[in-house]
Amino acid sequence: MGNRSDEISKVITRAIINRRLTPGCKLSEQALADVFNVSRAVVRQALIRLADDGLVTVERHRGAFVSRPSHREAMEIYDALTMLEQGVAAQLSGRLDQRGWSELRHHVELQHKAVEEGNDELADQLGSHFHVILVKLSRNTVVQEMHAQLIRRTALLRSLVDSRFDYCGLLHDHSEIIDLLEAGRVAKAQELIDTHHRNVVKGYLMGENTEQSMSVHEALEPYVNDAKTPVNATS
Amino acid sequence: MGNRSDEISKVITRAIINRRLTPGCKLSEQALADVFNVSRAVVRQALIRLADDGLVTVERHRGAFVSRPSHREAMEIYDALTMLEQGVAAQLSGRLDQRGWSELRHHVELQHKAVEEGNDELADQLGSHFHVILVKLSRNTVVQEMHAQLIRRTALLRSLVDSRFDYCGLLHDHSEIIDLLEAGRVAKAQELIDTHHRNVVKGYLMGENTEQSMSVHEALEPYVNDAKTPVNATS
DNA sequence: ATGGGAAAGATTGCATACCAATCTCAAAAG
DNA sequence: CTTTTGAGATTGGTATGCAATCTTTCCCAT
């Protein structure tokens, strides 16, 4: 068992990624302490981790809230993803073995099936995961961790907008990126990575999605049940 | 004033970057609490921040230590810098105004003077800072923060080895990177960024530098004096 | 003497209790 | 209707205690 605060921050992270905790949601220390049945000190530690990850914003003497990225910040996150993946592309091209390319192609296949079956939820996840795999192939855990953090943050953005993706086009992008990289046409691949992310952002009909968010207790209930039986599971 | 634990983590970060606290150094909670005159709870929070930043490693029930990156991790950090800057290069080329290019050239000038004056300490700092400026010109605070974190971690590596840089070559690299980017020759610039970082790593004569490290109290004394008079400054 | 093991001591991880500073929000005053 | 005020809630931080674990030291058997 790791640190209690580490576990808790991971659980809250999951809840944010799954959009059970949405941007702006107040994360009261006492409420979280009750939910997880730990002391406030541990909750504070978890909140610090989350704040360092950018998922939570702490305002002095006001408390912690699920981050609500500004429009500018949203752009910066996607540009950061672009740059990181462009760098990965530069390293991957010409240095990756057949196994790597086929792993990527296999993944595109999977997402293709998900789209055909109309499983948008899954297609969405797989769409993100393509980029994760791409970065994983760089075999650099430092880059992987930075990239994963950015991906986590994009979940915040999805909570803020109605996403309407052109899966067909995005899938084709993935496919073409693989082809270009394998062919050693790095510059063209990097250009496509750029426009690809711009198309993803375009898929966000940037409007205030004032979706009602659940209470902290409600949002976290399935997770705490998962890990450890809470004291008073008033389901 | 921000959080106490935030301040403290920043002070410790400075001490690590300035190589007053070297890899492997034990960061005892009580010792730090005494030095900064705060409770252990605050110190723990600071240590969590530092651990998230990669500068400190916490081992359960053993305590926190200044991180001692493995050889592999060192490589990964420099490769991560490479990829990030390659991505920045892709974004910068053709989109940066004259002001930006001249800022970079001015900086190279500064470092050139430092080298001529034999001020290795300064030349070293400016050498790192060139890359910081490059990334800053991307005008992306997310990327900047990730890059800054990597730069901080390179300080750990400098503590571990004897660095013997060929400043002349490295400076020429910087100069040429600017030229290539301004000329729109991105691929060539990215290639040079790669070899540049490889040359930096080559400058590390990877040997266990078992330099004697100071005590925590000793190492942090000048910083705490800076911020707040400690209780018992037994210099 | 020397390697292994047990006991003592130190440190971490966490809980509880407490307090000052600050924010929130609603009621009272103008 | 706006401003002020004050009670209550929340945060940031301290102090203390305790169980679990790690470290060190000392003792004993080989």
Side-chain angles (χ1 to χ4, degrees):
Chain A
M1 287 176 235
N3 286 344
R4 205 78 189 78
S5 68
D6 201 23
E7 288 175 36
I8 290 174
S9 67
K10 281 186 178 122
V11 170
I12 297 178
T13 295
R14 257 209 288 166
I16 293 176
I17 288 178
N18 294 346
R19 281 174 280 170
R20 297 183 65 83
L21 290 173
T22 54
C25 180
K26 173 76 183 285
L27 298 174
S28 154
E29 294 184 358
Q30 194 56 59
L32 291 173
D34 293 344
V35 167
F36 292 106
N37 199 30
V38 294
S39 69
R40 268 180 59 212
V42 173
V43 170
R44 289 178 69 76
Q45 292 165 20
L47 291 175
I48 287 175
R49 286 180 211 274
L50 291 163
D52 279 349
D53 226 41
L55 294 180
V56 158
T57 303
V58 177
E59 292 176 38
R60 187 172 170 84
H61 279 285
R62 288 206 55 237
F65 305 83
V66 178
S67 293
R68 184 193 293 281
S70 65
H71 191 276
R72 171 175 179 79
E73 211 174 333
M75 291 301 166
E76 287 196 0
I77 289 170
Y78 270 100
D79 284 347
L81 276 170
T82 299
M83 292 187 234
L84 208 51
E85 292 179 20
Q86 283 177 328
V88 169
Q91 295 295 312
L92 242 47
S93 181
R95 287 180 213 176
L96 193 58
D97 57 4
Q98 193 54 47
R99 253 188 116 65
W101 300 121
S102 56
E103 183 175 354
L104 285 169
R105 290 216 169 79
H106 175 67
H107 187 84
V108 171
E109 275 302 311
L110 280 183
Q111 196 189 348
H112 195 74
K113 274 181 197 143
V115 172
E116 277 187 344
E117 290 167 10
N119 192 342
D120 277 16
E121 181 83 28
L122 182 61
D124 205 30
Q125 281 183 2
L126 291 175
S128 279
H129 203 61
F130 169 82
H131 299 267
V132 173
I133 291 178
L134 186 79
V135 171
K136 191 192 74 183
L137 292 173
S138 75
R139 301 188 152 283
N140 186 314
T141 57
V142 174
V143 170
Q144 266 176 73
E145 185 41 51
M146 292 195 304
H147 185 263
Q149 185 182 322
L150 290 176
I151 293 286
R152 285 195 289 275
R153 292 225 244 168
T154 62
L156 292 175
L157 310 181
R158 271 194 288 282
S159 292
L160 284 175
V161 299
D162 293 321
S163 52
R164 197 77 54 82
F165 291 135
D166 168 19
Y167 286 114
C168 192
L170 295 183
L171 254 175
H172 184 261
D173 285 351
H174 288 179
S175 205
E176 198 170 342
I177 287 171
I178 301 173
D179 292 340
L180 287 170
L181 283 178
E182 191 171 21
R185 301 179 60 189
V186 183
K188 205 76 186 157
Q190 289 177 339
E191 201 182 309
L192 186 53
I193 289 173
D194 193 336
T195 61
H196 176 76
H197 280 128
R198 285 183 205 286
N199 283 335
V200 172
V201 172
K202 222 188 285 175
Y204 295 151
L205 313 172
M206 277 292 180
E208 281 299 307
N209 184 352
T210 51
E211 195 177 311
Q212 189 69 337
S213 73
M214 316 176 217
S215 75
V216 171
H217 187 92
E218 208 176 340
L220 293 172
E221 208 223 347
Y223 302 106
V224 289
N225 283 346
D226 216 6
K228 189 183 229 177
T229 313
V231 184
N232 46 355
T234 56
S235 59
Chain B
M1 280 178 232
N3 287 345
R4 202 79 188 80
S5 67
D6 203 22
E7 288 176 36
I8 290 174
S9 67
K10 279 186 179 123
V11 170
I12 297 178
T13 296
R14 257 208 289 165
I16 293 176
I17 288 179
N18 295 346
R19 282 175 278 171
R20 298 184 64 83
L21 289 173
T22 56
C25 179
K26 174 78 184 284
L27 298 175
S28 152
E29 294 185 359
Q30 196 56 59
L32 291 173
D34 293 344
V35 167
F36 291 107
N37 200 31
V38 294
S39 67
R40 267 179 60 211
V42 174
V43 170
R44 287 178 71 76
Q45 292 166 20
L47 290 175
I48 286 175
R49 287 180 210 274
L50 291 163
D52 280 349
D53 227 41
L55 295 180
V56 158
T57 303
V58 178
E59 291 176 38
R60 186 171 171 82
H61 280 285
R62 290 206 55 237
F65 305 81
V66 178
S67 292
R68 182 193 293 281
S70 66
H71 192 275
R72 171 174 180 80
E73 212 174 333
M75 290 301 166
E76 287 195 0
I77 288 169
Y78 270 99
D79 284 347
L81 277 170
T82 299
M83 292 187 233
L84 208 50
E85 293 178 19
Q86 284 177 329
V88 169
Q91 295 296 311
L92 241 48
S93 181
R95 288 178 213 178
L96 193 58
D97 57 4
Q98 193 54 48
R99 252 189 117 64
W101 300 121
S102 54
E103 183 175 355
L104 284 169
R105 290 217 167 79
H106 175 66
H107 187 84
V108 172
E109 275 301 311
L110 280 183
Q111 196 189 349
H112 195 74
K113 274 182 196 143
V115 172
E116 277 187 345
E117 289 168 11
N119 192 343
D120 277 16
E121 180 85 28
L122 182 61
D124 205 32
Q125 280 183 1
L126 292 175
S128 278
H129 203 60
F130 169 82
H131 299 266
V132 173
I133 291 178
L134 186 79
V135 172
K136 191 191 74 184
L137 292 173
S138 74
R139 301 188 152 284
N140 185 315
T141 57
V142 174
V143 169
Q144 266 176 72
E145 186 40 52
M146 292 194 304
H147 186 263
Q149 185 183 322
L150 290 175
I151 292 286
R152 284 195 289 275
R153 289 171 82 176
T154 63
L156 292 176
L157 310 181
R158 271 195 288 282
S159 293
L160 283 175
V161 299
D162 293 319
S163 52
R164 197 75 54 82
F165 292 135
D166 167 21
Y167 286 113
C168 192
L170 296 183
L171 255 175
H172 183 261
D173 285 350
H174 288 179
S175 205
E176 197 169 343
I177 288 170
I178 302 172
D179 292 340
L180 287 170
L181 283 178
E182 192 170 20
R185 301 178 60 189
V186 183
K188 205 76 186 156
Q190 289 178 340
E191 202 183 308
L192 185 52
I193 288 173
D194 193 335
T195 62
H196 175 76
H197 281 128
R198 284 182 206 286
N199 284 333
V200 171
V201 172
K202 222 188 283 177
Y204 295 151
L205 314 173
M206 277 293 178
E208 282 299 306
N209 185 350
T210 52
E211 196 177 309
Q212 188 69 339
S213 72
M214 314 177 220
S215 75
V216 171
H217 187 95
E218 208 175 340
L220 294 172
E221 209 222 346
Y223 301 105
V224 289
N225 283 347
D226 217 4
K228 189 185 228 175
T229 312
V231 185
N232 46 356
T234 56
S235 60

